[in-house]
Amino acid sequence: MSRSTPIIHKTRTQVVVEVLREKILSGDIAAGEPLRQSALADELNVSRIPVREALLQLEAEGLVKFEAHKGATATELSVEQVTELFELRALIETDLLAKAIPKLEDEDLLKAEKVLDELESAFKQEDAVSTWSELNTRFHTCLYSPADHPHTLEVVHGLNTNCDRYIRLQLLLAGGIPQAEQDHRELLSLCKNKDTDKAVELLRAHILHAAKAIRELVAQQVA
């Protein structure tokens, strides 16, 4: 008897988290916009409890901020935050990649290439913007996982969540897609060739170049 695929049941809080996260990352909820629990509960047809729990989770992800006498708001775009987040990514992700490359197997590289094909396809579809971050994270995770540093990888995923809104800005408004595609293909090729030094240098440049473009965009938006 074959095993059936398990059905994953999501709690109301999980559903609300996903809906609000996507609204914030896509810009449907603008930076600095108040998040009224009663209005969100009515809009999503749930009680205020899962909304409150969802906002607390999104606060932990850096997407929501709670302030006294003001309540919850979507976090503001910040040049300083871009610098901190992307410098952290450059430090942590390059270290992970350097540890992973000697352990990369053909299976890891095939998975990475398959995800990269999906990402490049998604870049060409206007209605697939919401999948870019997940596919990008999956591609990099295929290359980092062999390092066998699960806690570090978890930190990277948290940073990616916080960077998501900024990366979408870069890809959508700064023409970053062609460069991203070129960098990803070259990175995969260097990983296949086990060229650790060049792969690490490319990854660092990939992350910091994105940060520079995003800082310029954010500076314009908050000016």
Side-chain angles (χ1 to χ4, degrees):
M1 180 176 174
S2 62
R3 294 184 188 176
S4 59
T5 304
I7 298 173
I8 300 173
H9 296 284
K10 294 181 180 178
T11 65
R12 283 189 176 86
T13 298
Q14 288 172 319
V15 172
V16 174
V17 165
E18 290 177 6
V19 170
L20 293 182
R21 183 193 287 126
E22 179 56 31
K23 283 179 174 289
I24 292 171
L25 293 175
S26 67
D28 282 350
I29 295 176
E33 184 175 330
L35 299 166
R36 309 292 183 201
Q37 293 182 37
S38 56
L40 290 171
D42 290 343
E43 179 186 341
L44 300 174
N45 195 29
V46 296
S47 72
R48 291 179 61 176
I49 294 173
V51 173
R52 170 74 178 176
E53 291 172 345
L55 291 175
L56 288 171
Q57 181 171 329
L58 292 170
E59 181 189 31
E61 294 180 8
L63 297 176
V64 167
K65 182 178 181 182
F66 280 91
E67 297 180 82
H69 312 300
K70 191 174 179 181
T73 58
T75 51
E76 297 277 359
L77 299 173
S78 160
V79 171
E80 292 76 18
Q81 186 183 50
V82 172
T83 299
E84 180 181 6
L85 287 173
F86 282 77
E87 285 182 353
L88 273 172
R89 283 188 58 205
L91 284 169
I92 297 172
E93 292 187 40
T94 53
D95 183 62
L96 263 183
L97 184 64
K99 289 181 169 69
I101 285 176
K103 301 178 181 178
L104 279 169
E105 302 286 347
D106 288 344
E107 183 182 357
D108 303 311
L109 295 164
L110 285 171
K111 284 181 183 177
E113 189 157 21
K114 183 173 181 293
V115 175
L116 191 51
D117 289 340
E118 291 180 53
L119 177 57
E120 290 174 349
S121 176
F123 278 152
K124 295 174 174 63
Q125 302 170 40
E126 290 184 6
D127 60 350
V129 175
S130 62
T131 68
W132 291 358
S133 178
E134 179 197 351
L135 290 168
N136 183 66
T137 297
R138 280 171 54 197
F139 168 68
H140 285 278
T141 297
C142 288
L143 300 180
Y144 302 159
S145 291
D148 196 23
H149 279 50
H151 298 296
T152 308
L153 197 56
E154 189 175 334
V155 171
V156 168
H157 289 164
L159 289 170
N160 284 334
T161 295
N162 281 282
C163 289
D164 189 321
R165 178 171 46 174
Y166 293 117
I167 292 171
R168 291 194 198 190
L169 275 176
Q170 181 221 3
L171 294 172
L172 288 168
L173 302 180
I177 290 176
Q179 187 65 53
E181 290 181 323
Q182 180 181 327
D183 287 351
H184 285 151
R185 283 293 168 187
E186 188 176 346
L187 182 63
L188 182 59
S189 176
L190 291 170
C191 288
K192 286 179 178 178
N193 293 332
K194 305 287 187 181
D195 194 335
T196 302
D197 290 343
K198 286 185 179 179
V200 165
E201 193 50 46
L202 173 63
L203 179 60
R204 181 180 290 107
H206 173 70
I207 293 169
L208 296 181
H209 173 79
K212 181 176 183 293
I214 294 163
R215 277 197 299 269
E216 292 171 359
L217 274 175
V218 171
Q220 292 170 9
Q221 295 213 353
V222 300

